[in-house]
Amino acid sequence: MRPRRSCLAVPGSSVKMLDKAQGLPADQVFLDLEDAVAPLAKPDARKNIVAALNDGDWGGKARVVRVNDLTTPWTYRDVVEVVEGAGQNLDCIMLPKVQSAGQIEWLDLTLTQIEKTMGFEVGRIGIEAQIENAAGLVNVDAIAQASPRIETIIFGPADFMASINMKSLVVGGLIPGYPGDPYHYILMRILMAARMHDLQAIDGPFLQIRDVEAFREVATRSAALGFDGKWVLHPGQIDAANEVYSPAQDDYDHAELILDAYEHFTSEAGGKLGAVMLGDEMIDEASRKMALVISAKGRAAGMSRTTSFTPPA
């Protein structure tokens, strides 16, 4: 899957921000037609996004467009104009406020019709599903398997908090007076649905954009659970996200050593052993699986090893 440690939101109504985003070190950019764009500005924002996708240099970033949700009158025009206009330079469509598998099926079918009509490769454009209310969370398992195009399940905290009448105005942060993380169940529920279907899980935004340390603290919690990345609303959050959702160098080196050692010791030359000692640590097949996770995250982040495995004489 594409690396998505940092997923940068860019309003489609701002040509200046669309230009600036191309040079920032985010893994993914999503060009927004939804909440960041006023209703009267949406038609021009579509045109801005098509031009930015076709003419811009995105430097290998995942290129995503967030359309409006299916309760609005704008969604079908968003999809048709953006995909017909720039489908060959687009990686995914993000559908917000997904409440049922049927909404994903609608988007899949619409994308297929456009791809066939325009002569694009059918099925290449992925789908990102954003969970933002109770209905979406209850139906997240069905949503996660509604289309082979789905690549990510995303937590949208602000609308979710409103939908369940949560008593807080701090989006993505802890709530004073609550003895724990109020989002833990939601994050784990999304993570389980994503992993059940080999999808990525992405945490939503933290709105206090100038408080990078608070952003880092919140991101660390979802990264510890296994989330693949988080939305960033400001360039100042990008480096923190890329760091938090990458392995530490020592962990990455250790994971690669485990993989090399296990491959050697299970081979004919290594004695066909299933469980062996690597230093003071016993490693086996379960160790290999855990190491694969850390190794994959490190490689996706472009990390380089600083150690190597030498088979014993």
Side-chain angles (χ1 to χ4, degrees), residues 30-189:
F30 72 89
L31 314 182
D32 197 15
L33 286 168
E34 199 211 12
D35 288 348
V37 179
L40 293 179
K42 292 184 190 294
D44 285 341
R46 294 182 192 126
K47 296 179 175 62
N48 294 341
I49 286 173
V50 168
L53 288 171
N54 287 337
D55 302 332
D57 180 3
W58 296 96
K61 299 174 179 63
R63 302 156 299 178
V64 179
V65 173
R66 180 168 73 160
V67 299
N68 288 276
D69 79 88
L70 277 166
T71 67
T72 73
W74 304 299
T75 318
Y76 83 101
R77 292 303 317 160
D78 291 343
V79 176
V80 171
E81 288 190 27
V82 168
V83 179
E84 285 190 352
Q88 291 178 307
N89 296 308
L90 174 68
D91 295 310
C92 293
I93 290 288
M94 183 190 303
L95 188 64
K97 299 178 179 64
V98 179
Q99 300 186 58
S100 68
Q103 294 180 333
I104 296 295
E105 292 166 356
W106 172 86
L107 180 55
D108 184 316
L109 179 60
T110 303
L111 288 172
T112 299
Q113 291 177 325
I114 297 171
E115 288 165 339
K116 289 181 177 179
T117 299
M118 299 299 296
F120 299 154
E121 178 185 347
V122 174
R124 188 192 64 80
I125 298 172
I127 293 174
E128 299 191 351
Q130 191 174 9
I131 304 300
E132 299 187 76
N133 56 33
L137 191 66
V138 169
N139 294 322
V140 69
D141 288 317
I143 290 168
Q145 59 184 318
S147 166
R149 294 180 186 264
I150 295 186
E151 297 186 15
T152 69
I153 306 293
I154 305 162
F155 176 41
D159 281 284
F160 199 101
M161 292 165 68
S163 80
I164 62 172
N165 296 337
M166 187 176 282
K167 188 181 178 182
S168 176
L169 292 174
V170 180
V171 176
L174 297 181
I175 298 176
Y178 183 80
D181 184 345
Y183 310 104
H184 182 77
Y185 168 76
I186 302 166
L187 291 171
M188 285 299 292
R189 190 72 188 82

Side-chain angles (χ1 to χ4, degrees), residues 4-9 28 30 32 34 66 94 96 128 130 132 154-157 202-206 215 229-234 237 241 245:
R4 287 183 168 95
R5 298 167 301 170
S6 50
C7 302
L8 177 65
Q28 170 176 300
F30 72 89
D32 197 15
E34 199 211 12
R66 180 168 73 160
M94 183 190 303
E128 299 191 351
Q130 191 174 9
E132 299 187 76
I154 305 162
F155 176 41
I202 305 299
D203 195 6
F206 183 73
F215 170 88
K230 186 173 179 66
W231 279 12
V232 293
L233 303 182
H234 186 273
Q237 297 176 329
Y245 291 95

Side-chain angles (χ1 to χ4, degrees), residues 238-255:
I238 295 174
D239 287 344
N242 287 343
E243 177 188 335
V244 169
Y245 291 95
S246 298
Q249 184 67 49
D250 287 348
D251 290 340
Y252 174 64
D253 286 339
H254 188 55

Side-chain angles (χ1 to χ4, degrees), residues 184-232:
H184 182 77
Y185 168 76
I186 302 166
L187 291 171
M188 285 299 292
R189 190 72 188 82
I190 288 172
L191 184 63
M192 293 304 103
R195 295 298 187 251
M196 178 68 180
H197 302 286
D198 296 324
L199 309 177
Q200 290 180 318
I202 305 299
D203 195 6
F206 183 73
L207 270 57
Q208 283 69 42
I209 59 174
R210 300 190 188 283
D211 193 342
V212 178
E213 287 310 306
F215 170 88
R216 187 186 300 274
E217 178 185 351
V218 171
T220 297
R221 293 201 300 271
S222 64
L225 296 177
F227 271 64
D228 298 288
K230 186 173 179 66
W231 279 12
V232 293

